[in-house]
Amino acid sequence: MALWGGRFSQESSALFKLFNDSLPVDYRLVEQDIVGSIAWASAITQVGILSEDECQKLQQALKDLLVEVEDNPELILASGAEDIHSFVESSLIAKVGDLGKKLHTGRSRNDQVATDLKLWCKKEGQQQLVLLKGLRRALLDLAERELDAVMPGYTHLQRAQPVAFGHWCLAYVEMFERDISRLEDALKRADTCPLGTGALAGTAYPMDRYKLAESLGFASPTLNSLDTVSDRDHVVEICSDASISMMHLSRMAEDLIFFNSGEAGFIDLDDEVTSGSSLMPQKKNPDALELIRGKTGRVYGSLIGILTTMKALPLAYNKDMQEDKEGLFDVMDSWSICLEMAALVLSGLKVNRENTLSAAQQGYANSTELADYLVAKGMPFREAHHVVGEVVVKALSLKKPLEDFDLVELQSFSDIIERDVFDCLTIDSCLEKREALGGTALPQVRAALAAKLAATE
């Protein structure tokens, strides 16, 4: 029987029940619903609704129920209940009889589901932090292994200047550390307890909501009942944080897909994260990375979904908000498996150092060094930029790198060029000059890596 059936004189249609019921989605909140109910039993005992004996019986029955559903989760969906709250309450009544009907005194499903969802977000958010930190560790390990491999850096997907592969790794470390920080901030804002705010106006019983919040592991209770039961900012924030993080994952995946291509040949991916073709036996496809890139779109979709659902809702609770969970659950599932998969990809990745060095040398990445050399000899930068552009045009026509020009050839473009020019055209020289904070000089990259490793210990 529905929890709200007394007001109605006929049964809901089968179609409405199918449309209205949320159990196939919110069954995942069973642990949080039971934990919240145990805390609520204590709270209403303190204001005289339950005796100590009744409270103990209810709490023991709830604990038993949690063990049962953990051992046999199919019990929940097989119940045919409207939602997880109905399942827990009806199961409790089946265990302790009419005593179970007293538990919901002073509580609404509105503050109940808000509490369940925040508890779930807090728990799952902490697990996501572990995975984010694991991915950061995988990037740091890769940076240690391949720190001094030289590769071309890119702008506009055109070879630009040489960088250390460790520098590339640390760029993504910065991105994922921002993701960690964002999620930590979101979880702080979610650390307020909705329980005890009722349907929208607050509970009629004089309970200590600070104590109730503490019993559930929240930092504090919420302060406005209208806002509490209609607030889903924590869902929006987590979906937003996940979307930004998935964007970072997708960018990294795209880089690695390109690096792994036959055209680049910069890296080799381990067999355990790649697949083959059903037709072409030579293929080794970067499917793990492509799926990370592909799943990013569905995470974005869930963010837009919850934002659109919430954008015009009047205070306080509206049934539209039942749509908050399916997208959130999918976001967390997608985000977590992508974080795990990315870490696995990185753990088996190997850099083809000869290929990356050759590409860095062939891309005229030392053109800027030649311009800087001319500036050091007294030529204005804009003029130096033009001269080097002419040198590159000639080099392209001859299909040879700048360092292979002889002195006479270079002096035909500017008579201030001397033999010392060749010292600045090497790849090592290109790297060494980028020694300011944040640059790709190897001592700077080693120092940055050491600082990251020390901070994560």
Side-chain angles (χ1 to χ4, degrees):
M1 185 177 67
L3 300 179
W4 39 266
R7 162 66 176 78
F8 294 80
S9 57
Q10 67 182 83
E11 293 292 323
S12 302
S13 75
L15 178 59
F16 176 77
K17 180 172 172 56
L18 180 65
F19 190 61
N20 182 66
D21 291 0
S22 60
L23 189 67
V25 174
D26 64 22
Y27 74 92
R28 293 175 67 158
L29 299 176
V30 63
E31 177 187 344
Q32 289 73 29
D33 200 75
I34 291 173
V35 168
S37 294
I38 290 171
W40 186 249
S42 293
I44 59 176
T45 299
Q46 291 160 16
V47 295
I49 303 300
L50 297 175
S51 68
E52 288 292 342
D53 182 61
E54 288 175 322
C55 179
Q56 289 178 13
K57 287 180 179 177
L58 283 173
Q59 290 182 331
Q60 186 58 54
L62 287 164
K63 291 174 184 176
D64 292 343
L65 178 60
L66 181 57
V67 172
E68 290 171 15
V69 296
E70 286 176 341
D71 290 343
N72 187 11
E74 291 79 10
L75 285 174
I76 305 173
L77 294 178
S79 70
E82 178 183 347
D83 55 28
I84 192 59
H85 323 298
S86 303
F87 167 78
V88 171
E89 185 166 337
S90 61
S91 299
L92 186 62
I93 292 170
K95 287 179 176 293
V96 299
D98 286 347
L99 174 58
K101 298 177 181 179
K102 298 176 73 172
L103 178 62
H104 205 57
T105 305
R107 182 176 66 168
S108 166
R109 280 192 296 179
N110 294 355
D111 63 338
Q112 189 177 358
V113 69
T115 303
D116 292 357
L117 195 55
K118 275 194 174 180
L119 285 170
W120 189 90
C121 286
K122 279 162 54 77
K123 178 182 178 181
E124 294 299 315
Q126 289 300 325
Q127 293 178 1
Q128 295 302 110
L129 286 173
V130 171
L131 293 176
L132 279 164
K133 291 173 182 178
L135 178 58
R136 176 178 63 184
R137 182 74 230 192
L139 277 163
L140 292 174
D141 289 345
L142 179 58
E144 277 193 294
R145 296 197 308 270
E146 305 284 4
L147 184 139
D148 57 352
V150 179
M151 60 178 279
Y154 291 84
T155 62
H156 309 280
L157 208 56
Q158 304 291 313
R159 292 170 185 165
Q161 293 177 295
V163 297
F165 192 83
H167 198 54
W168 178 91
C169 295
L170 292 176
Y172 283 101
V173 169
E174 294 292 330
M175 295 186 204
F176 293 118
E177 286 189 339
R178 293 196 294 272
D179 295 339
I180 291 169
S181 175
R182 263 186 291 270
L183 183 54
E184 287 174 338
D185 285 348
L187 292 177
K188 287 178 185 176
R189 280 184 289 278
D191 202 15
T192 55
C193 181
L195 202 55
T197 56
L200 77 160
T203 185
Y205 298 91
M207 60 187 56
D208 185 344
R209 289 192 60 230
Y210 283 93
K211 188 173 183 179
L212 178 58
E214 182 181 0
S215 72
L216 284 169
F218 287 100
S220 64
T222 57
L223 299 179
N224 183 283
S225 59
L226 280 173
D227 173 61
T228 296
V229 298
S230 62
D231 169 35
R232 293 298 184 270
D233 283 6
H234 45 291
V235 177
V236 174
E237 277 203 84
I238 287 175
C239 289
S240 175
D241 294 346
S243 295
I244 296 171
S245 182
M246 287 296 297
M247 176 264 290
H248 293 152
L249 282 166
S250 186
R251 292 185 69 185
M252 185 174 73
E254 173 63 17
D255 270 356
L256 293 175
I257 289 166
F258 169 65
F259 293 168
N260 185 66
S261 68
E263 283 68 26
F266 292 173
I267 63 171
D268 287 325
L269 299 175
D270 198 89
D271 286 356
E272 65 178 348
V273 295
T274 54
S275 71
S277 166
S278 62
L279 176 66
M280 298 168 284
Q282 82 280 13
K283 295 294 292 295
K284 183 178 178 182
N285 300 323
D287 284 7
L289 294 168
E290 290 172 355
L291 283 169
I292 289 171
R293 191 173 58 182
K295 287 179 183 293
T296 301
R298 67 190 290 167
V299 173
Y300 288 2
S302 293
L303 170 61
I304 298 304
I306 184 61
L307 284 170
T308 306
T309 295
M310 297 299 298
K311 75 175 182 63
L313 292 186
L315 288 175
Y317 181 82
N318 298 270
K319 195 60 176 273
D320 312 48
M321 294 163 67
Q322 183 168 289
E323 294 298 309
D324 59 356
K325 288 173 281 297
E326 190 168 7
L328 172 66
F329 293 163
D330 189 67
V331 162
M332 297 300 261
D333 290 345
S334 298
W335 190 15
S336 62
I337 196 168
C338 287
L339 289 170
E340 289 185 86
M341 185 54 63
L344 182 60
V345 168
L346 295 173
S347 69
L349 187 153
K350 294 181 176 60
V351 176
N352 297 322
R353 291 174 173 242
E354 289 185 7
N355 290 357
T356 57
L357 178 60
S358 176
Q361 291 171 329
Q362 292 171 13
Y364 303 103
N366 50 3
S367 299
T368 305
E369 313 314 313
L370 180 55
D372 288 342
Y373 170 86
L374 294 173
V375 169
K377 294 289 187 179
M379 183 181 292
F381 177 76
R382 280 298 162 211
E383 184 180 342
H385 188 283
H386 181 79
V387 168
V388 175
E390 293 179 331
V391 177
V392 170
V393 170
K394 183 66 173 179
L396 286 168
S397 69
L398 297 175
K399 296 182 179 180
K400 70 178 183 179
L402 300 186
E403 59 269 28
D404 285 355
F405 277 65
D406 61 33
L407 183 60
V408 173
E409 287 176 307
L410 289 175
Q411 286 177 334
S412 68
F413 295 95
S414 173
D415 57 11
I416 65 173
I417 295 176
E418 300 175 353
R419 185 161 296 281
D420 61 350
V421 69
F422 296 106
D423 294 334
C424 77
L425 294 181
T426 65
I427 291 294
D428 288 343
S429 175
C430 294
L431 291 175
E432 287 169 4
K433 290 182 178 178
R434 270 66 193 174
E435 60 185 0
L437 179 66
T440 191
L442 292 181
Q444 180 60 232
V445 176
R446 290 192 182 95
L449 175 60
K452 294 294 185 186
L453 289 170
T456 58
E457 290 178 355

